[in-house]
Amino acid sequence: MRELPFWLRTAIFGWLAFWAAVHLYWGGFGFPEPITIRSLHLLVFTPPLFLLYPAFAKRSPQNRPSVMDWIWAAASAAPHLWVLINADAVNDRMEYVDPFTPVMLGLAILCMVTMLEAIRRAVEPGLAWMTAGCLLYMFVGHHLPGVLNTRVFTTSEIMEAAWLVPTAGGVYGPLTGIVATTIAVFILFGSFMQGSGTGRLFANFGAAVAGRYTGGPAKVAVVSSGLFGTMSGSSVSNVITTGAMTIPLMIRIGYKPAVAAGIESAASVGGALMPPVMGAAAFVMAEITNIPYGDILVAAAIGAVLYYFAILAAVHFEAKKLGITPMAAKDIPAWREVLADAHLIIPIGLLVYLMTERWSGNYAAFCATLAMVAVSLLRARTRMGWREVIESLTNAGLTMAPLAVAIAASGVVVSVLTATGMVVAFGGIIKELADGSFGLLAVLLCLTVLILGLGIPTTPSYIIAAAIGAPQLLELGRSLGIDMMQAHLFLFYFAVIADATPPVAASAFAAAAIAKASPTIASLHASRFGIAGFTVGFAFLYDPGIMMRGGIIEIVSATSIQVMALVLITSAYAGFLMRPMGVPLRILLGAAGLFAAFGHIAPDTVRLTIAAVALGGTALLQMMITRKTSMIRPIVALLGLLLAVPAVAQNVAPQQAGPTLSAIRARGMLNCGVSTGDPAWSQPDSQGVWQGVDADLCRAVAAAVLGDPSKVSWHPLTGQTRFAALSGGQIDMLARTTTWTFLRDAVNGLNFTAPYFMDGQGFLVKADSGIEHANQLDGASICLTAASTHELNLQDWARQANIRFQPVVFADKDEARRAYESGRCDAYTADSSQLAAIRVAFTNPAAHRLLPERISKEPYAVAVRQGDDQWFDIVRFVTFGLIEAEELGVTRENAATLAVDSPRPAVQRLLGRTGDLGPTVGLDRAWLLNAVKAVGNYGEIYDRHLGANSPVRLPRGPNALWNAGGLLWSPPIR
């Protein structure tokens, strides 16, 4: 970064601080609509990069921007300013359909050129080259052979895909959105942590905890770097911040320079893995997967602890071998010095609490940031005045600026990969090389992510790897029960540790510069000290207990395997356990550790036993060689370990269930996909409790499977995201007014269970429009939802009726409803039951008319993934069971009584008094009894949300039972 004149430096820093403060305000009080905030975010943070960073280290002025820098800055602002001014037009245009004008083409090219130059200067040249290469690929792909061949793209199509297709990616895509919202507020929180003196607290705490032990300075580096990483999430920043102190101290007490650099690099890289703030990539993961950030924190917690445990173990063995002593007593801060800053932990605790309580990430970080300022005022040494606040805002702005262009470039790469089909092609190549082996696929993806990490930062590397690798992991790992969280955490870990692995390792190179050591040797040591990144990464796939899934035995077992494996590997590499070891013993311990860590083909019992015997036996042997009486207690403890571990492992009961049921039981929660807000079907009430027919189906399944209807994790999904969320493993079942069609069932990897509602598509119009029948809609504009059957039905009907219409398509039902209500279109089309519920929810229902025509048949059915027949049967027969309960007269009120004293055989079977229906699908005998007690029978559910006891008052019609003139029936449950 340049050393600018005071006036210019003040102006630029003031600009960055102001917009950082604006982002903080938005985090607490709401953000502008997506296109506005994304274009504004890039508009304010891109131009300063050309003024702060010289074009060339030697030839460009280092103390002032050149004339060309000012031109670059102005040019970089133009495309984003145009989008900001024309945000409404950008929102309304139909991508790839509306004209991409010459003005748009010119601005798009200008955006690409200036963005790539900003990245080259301020982020990483490798990312700039990769992005440029992807764009070039779209130009020449039709000339390439084999899987690399693409269709011919025009220049306009390429630039539109990269610049102005915000729903799919590109510069203004969802990735830029998450950076401009949630990530920006967390960056501010980290900056205010540093400004309040939390960094001093972490450094003192690390020294007080670890400084008095063998290899003290190195352990201080590990602890403090991990804590600093929760603030910055940047490995290079961690190295520079803590390494300047710890690396010289480590060298001074006996560590080789390259080893000291490796320790600091590995510890700094792990900061992005450490909750509660895991860096930008973790927030992107939450956005891509739609998994709450708090859930990611919980799943990643044990892995992060294991990562730092392995570094501490490696440092300890290295120090013992070298005879390195603890820190001098005068250099270790007293605990009263640590406790003087202890109040600064309160905002971090508040952040963790709010995130685990499922508050939105941006609002949780906003509250924690304000709390940090307030708490800092409690003591004079931490008090943040206006200078510290402005400095914190400035530092946050300096972090946001390069991240903004880096993530925008990642969006371009993802857009290119999607438009050209390379996501599928590249994934297909990896899948073909894996040849059906999930383990080989995981290894190939691991290598792919590490190679991506050679030239680009962690977050873009993770984004690209997730686009390519996550679908492959989920598809091939379906039979193993691999879900979205496991796949993405696996890719995330390797994207993070790529910063420390050779041949190009940014954090290791920065540490080597401080240590004056070989960067390559330093990166090799960093890989060795960060070995847990590799073992934990694979454990996410094979040992889900480390994600806190399952019972206490499963969690303890998985964690114990990793702990012992890491001790074995690190001690073998160092050549020291209780005393120095020879080469044969080191090979033996290393092999045992690698088998425990990666031998997933063997049962956990075998891995745990081998690790315990190898570790305990070697330690016992070395203790006996010392011939010291003081070793009697440790010897007895190790003998107990050798006997107890296999016994404990033997008690880990195998799951007697399919992959989906096993995963649900392990997490203790059913992941259910519902709509983003659909009255009478699935919508949270004023207390935030989900209500509706679909919501009750989710509760019924949770009651049947887990015995508790409240054990449902709600996943609101749009029409565009619902099927990907299900096939990708994010949800276990999709209960979202979804029509069962041939292609949806045959192509999307889904199975539809039992039809639970028969509907038809209709039209809602304003009562004063004069429209009374659908054939009067000729020339009308019609609001509808994207990625639904409604659009296809509408086209079929219009062609048959010789009617022209103007479709106005929205991503979700709420947007479509609001647009219709505000007058943007003449009619709103959806399924008739949905329109009836929406009409009742309007302020003046009488002002709207539901037309009598139905232009389609829409059988609703819950969908599940293909490949798990047990789970398919469970969900299908819970639905049938609710219908059967109505036919048999079993209600929520009388179910428990009838389960005991009903004389009817059909009721006895339904409620589990006789027969073993539940155990045949891995459940208990009371599964359907629990479902009915939770939500009532089908008729009760219908009346509560759609029928006589609801505001909608929709007659049963075709949704009456078969013996009452309707279409609903259940096969015999026997």
Side-chain angles (χ1 to χ4, degrees), residues 165-212:
V165 185
T167 58
V171 171
Y172 305 112
L175 297 177
T176 297
I178 187 63
V179 172
T181 54
T182 303
I183 293 176
V185 188
F186 270 88
I187 288 173
L188 281 153
F189 174 65
S191 184
F192 274 82
M193 283 176 68
Q194 290 177 309
S196 66
T198 309
R200 179 181 61 239
L201 169 64
F202 289 164
N204 287 341
F205 177 79
V209 168
R212 65 189 76 252

Side-chain angles (χ1 to χ4, degrees), residues 64 104 106 127 136 208 227 351 423 514 543 692 712 754 788 812 831:
R64 60 174 177 81
M104 293 178 178
L127 178 58
L136 178 62
L227 295 173
L351 176 66
V423 168
I514 296 173
D543 297 319
V712 180
S788 67
D812 61 46
D831 295 340

Side-chain angles (χ1 to χ4, degrees), residues 717-880:
L717 301 168
T718 66
Q720 294 169 310
T721 60
R722 54 182 164 174
F723 298 126
L726 180 57
S727 61
Q730 178 188 338
I731 57 175
D732 305 308
M733 58 181 284
L734 177 63
R736 188 198 174 280
T737 54
T738 298
T739 300
W740 183 1
T741 69
F742 170 79
L743 285 179
R744 286 177 174 177
D745 198 319
V747 174
N748 287 320
L750 311 179
N751 275 333
F752 286 81
T753 54
Y756 63 90
F757 191 85
M758 300 298 296
D759 208 346
Q761 185 173 336
F763 299 93
L764 191 65
V765 299
K766 302 285 181 17
D768 59 7
S769 66
I771 299 173
E772 296 184 358
H773 294 281
N775 59 11
Q776 296 176 264
L777 292 172
D778 192 21
S781 59
I782 302 178
C783 287
L784 68 155
T785 307
S788 67
T789 56
H790 303 148
E791 194 167 5
L792 299 176
N793 294 337
L794 194 58
Q795 292 170 355
D796 290 347
W797 168 76
R799 279 196 296 267
Q800 181 180 352
N802 196 26
I803 286 176
R804 295 188 303 169
F805 67 94
Q806 175 62 45
V808 185
V809 184
F810 296 90
D812 61 46
K813 297 172 184 175
D814 277 344
E815 292 182 15
R817 176 187 55 76
R818 287 194 297 267
Y820 161 75
E821 191 175 15
S822 66
R824 288 186 62 184
C825 40
D826 303 312
Y828 178 26
T829 186
D831 295 340
S832 298
S833 64
Q834 298 174 36
L835 296 177
I838 289 170
R839 177 179 177 272
V840 171
F842 284 145
T843 305
N844 182 14
H848 305 271
R849 175 184 297 130
L850 183 60
L851 300 184
E853 289 81 6
R854 302 293 178 266
I855 65 173
S856 70
K857 62 176 182 289
E858 308 289 333
Y860 292 172
V862 176
V864 297
R865 283 184 298 280
Q866 288 180 0
D868 190 341
D869 290 345
Q870 181 194 63
W871 180 241
F872 172 80
D873 285 337
I874 289 172
V875 177
R876 177 170 59 170
F877 275 94
V878 166
T879 306
F880 280 141

Side-chain angles (χ1 to χ4, degrees), residues 289-338:
T289 62
N290 204 26
I291 296 173
Y293 186 71
D295 291 356
I296 295 175
L297 296 186
V298 172
I302 292 179
V305 173
L306 286 171
Y307 181 87
Y308 279 99
F309 166 79
I311 301 177
L312 288 170
V315 164
H316 176 79
F317 294 136
E318 191 83 21
K320 282 288 189 181
K321 183 178 70 173
L322 298 174
I324 295 175
T325 58
M327 290 176 65
K330 63 182 180 62
D331 295 327
I332 300 175
W335 277 106
R336 64 175 177 273
E337 179 72 10
V338 178

Side-chain angles (χ1 to χ4, degrees), residues 470-483:
Q472 307 302 321
L473 287 170
L474 292 170
E475 180 182 350
L476 204 54
R478 185 171 296 148
S479 61
L480 301 174
I482 301 299
D483 62 22

Side-chain angles (χ1 to χ4, degrees), residues 81 96 116 256 426 573 599 968:
L81 180 61
Y96 303 118
L116 293 175
K256 293 179 181 178
F426 193 78
Y573 194 101
L968 290 188

Side-chain angles (χ1 to χ4, degrees), residues 88 114 120 189 203 551 849 945:
D88 289 340
T114 54
R120 186 192 68 81
F189 174 65
R849 175 184 297 130
H945 301 297

